[in-house]
Amino acid sequence: MNRNTHEPDSLPVPDADARAASMALVALIRDEIAAAGGWLPFDRYMERVLYCPQLGYYSGGARKFGRLAKDGSDFVTAPELSPLFARTLAQPVAQALEASGTRHLMEFGAGTGRLAAGLIVALEALGVGFDSYSIVELSGELRARQRETIEALAGPLSSRVRWLDALPERFEGVALGNEVLDAMPVKLFARMGGIWHERGVATRDDALVFEDRRPGERGLTLSDDDSALLSAIDAEIGVDIDYVTESHAAAAGFTRTVCTMLGRGAALFVDYGFPRSEYYHPQRTGGTLMCHYRHRAHGDPFFHPGLQDITAHVEFTRIAEAGVETGADLQGFTSQARFLMNAGITDALGELDPTDAVRFLPVANAVQKLLSEAEMGELFKVIAFSRGIDGALDAFGRGDRSHTL
């Protein structure tokens, strides 16, 4: 059993204030478990530890994004690795704005604000006019960081940026989500002895532990979508192996909401994951759930709740289905490496002088991480939906993998 008292030897110990905040969150979760009859589904637990007001990982004040553990961060994202990520992404964004005749941008969960700042500056350099850049952000601490970063990097252009507490009912323009879908709560399912159980969270000796329940046990029911998914997994890989996996109703619901909101324009999501045929693979017996703390990955979701990130890889087939169900067009689906190369990242790198090692080598190393199959290039994918755009974006012109969804 995984317990919240477990501290993997390889992970740094949080300071006293952070541990106190985590203990306060654990107390709230224990109370909620008791009120629910002794068990919470894992997606509810994940929602609480990530987004509980003031105490959750994303809604609290802890630093999250950065390059090194010593700066107090837990992971690095593509916009933090290199400004060429935003500069390159500006090309398909500009094409989508012009093709749809729209002048607004929106980003979900903008991290430190580096992607927003880079896009604003790059679009201005391309001569692409836009009226506003809206950021949907739940964390007050991250809003403050974003504002500081954007003002420092984008100067007067930062006056076009505004922050929203929720999605609008309708939006026309280009919407962006970089590593947003993987942070959506997931349900966990475990098949043991050929029988599926839903994996939830209970308490034992005041510690948080996993507890599995069979459908029908103590009133537990499965949605039609989850029942169909589990049956499909059985049919695909058989029932002779024990298996743990996730389902992605929250990410699919978010995609559906965004694509319903979209009047004209495009919605692009960049994240790590697989199409369904690769996601639910016989060799992926342990699922994809992963925790990140001080740039170290581990598998214990009960390690100091609220102080670490908990994620799961994205099942992109379900994301594609959710978007298309709204009537939006699937623009394309491809690897991050192919998308960035199609959009011109190697041309941007080529503008630097390779003989100037001090400037060139750090940029080249960062681009290598963005493109390499062994780093982010293959694991990360880009999927896009559109309305009112004729034809495909050039960034999906070569290497589109929509047929794999």
Side-chain angles (χ1 to χ4, degrees), residues 29 32-33 36 38-45 48 199-202:
I29 292 172
E32 186 169 348
I33 291 172
W39 186 87
L40 284 181
F42 185 80
D43 60 334
R44 175 58 179 171
Y45 169 78
R48 295 294 280 164
R199 178 157 289 179
V201 180

Side-chain angles (χ1 to χ4, degrees), residues 179-392:
E179 294 196 50
V180 170
L181 298 177
D182 69 86
M184 301 284 175
V186 296
K187 285 184 174 293
L188 291 185
F189 293 99
R191 189 177 64 191
M192 297 172 288
I195 299 173
W196 283 106
H197 300 71
E198 182 169 351
R199 178 157 289 179
V201 180
T203 57
R204 182 173 299 172
D205 299 328
D206 288 331
L208 302 176
V209 298
F210 278 135
E211 182 177 295
D212 300 332
R213 291 189 177 181
R214 295 176 58 177
E217 182 179 358
R218 288 182 257 188
L220 178 64
T221 60
L222 298 183
S223 69
D224 291 342
D225 284 347
D226 285 335
S227 293
L229 171 64
L230 301 183
S231 296
I233 295 174
D234 286 341
E236 181 66 25
I237 69 174
V239 296
D240 56 341
I241 56 174
D242 290 347
Y243 200 79
V244 176
T245 194
E246 307 89 21
S247 73
H248 299 262
F254 178 77
T255 303
R256 194 175 295 111
T257 298
V258 170
C259 289
T260 299
M261 169 192 76
L262 188 65
R264 287 180 301 142
L268 290 86
F269 297 99
V270 184
D271 227 312
Y272 46 89
F274 314 98
R276 183 170 296 156
S277 59
E278 297 178 35
Y279 197 101
Y280 301 112
H281 190 278
Q283 295 180 348
R284 210 178 305 282
T285 58
T288 71
L289 193 77
M290 188 60 62
C291 307
H292 299 273
Y293 182 73
R294 298 299 185 263
H295 293 264
R296 303 183 192 184
H298 67 95
D300 184 359
F302 305 126
F303 173 79
H304 297 296
L307 303 186
Q308 66 172 352
D309 192 21
I310 304 177
T311 76
H313 288 49
V314 178
E315 198 264 89
F316 278 104
T317 301
R318 190 163 188 181
I319 299 304
E321 291 170 347
V324 172
E325 285 169 3
T326 70
D329 297 319
L330 178 64
Q331 265 286 325
F333 171 69
T334 192
S335 68
Q336 175 176 286
R338 175 51 58 189
F339 185 86
L340 292 176
M341 287 190 290
N342 287 347
I345 194 169
T346 54
D347 294 334
L349 179 62
E351 294 174 9
L352 300 180
D353 181 3
T355 65
D356 184 354
V358 174
R359 294 186 59 201
F360 181 79
L361 288 180
V363 178
N365 289 337
V367 170
Q368 172 70 7
K369 290 183 179 181
L370 293 175
L371 301 182
S372 170
E373 290 187 2
E375 299 277 355
M376 300 174 69
E378 177 58 31
L379 179 59
F380 279 71
K381 311 295 193 306
V382 184
I383 192 169
F385 306 92
S386 66
R387 293 183 193 272
I389 293 179
D390 293 330

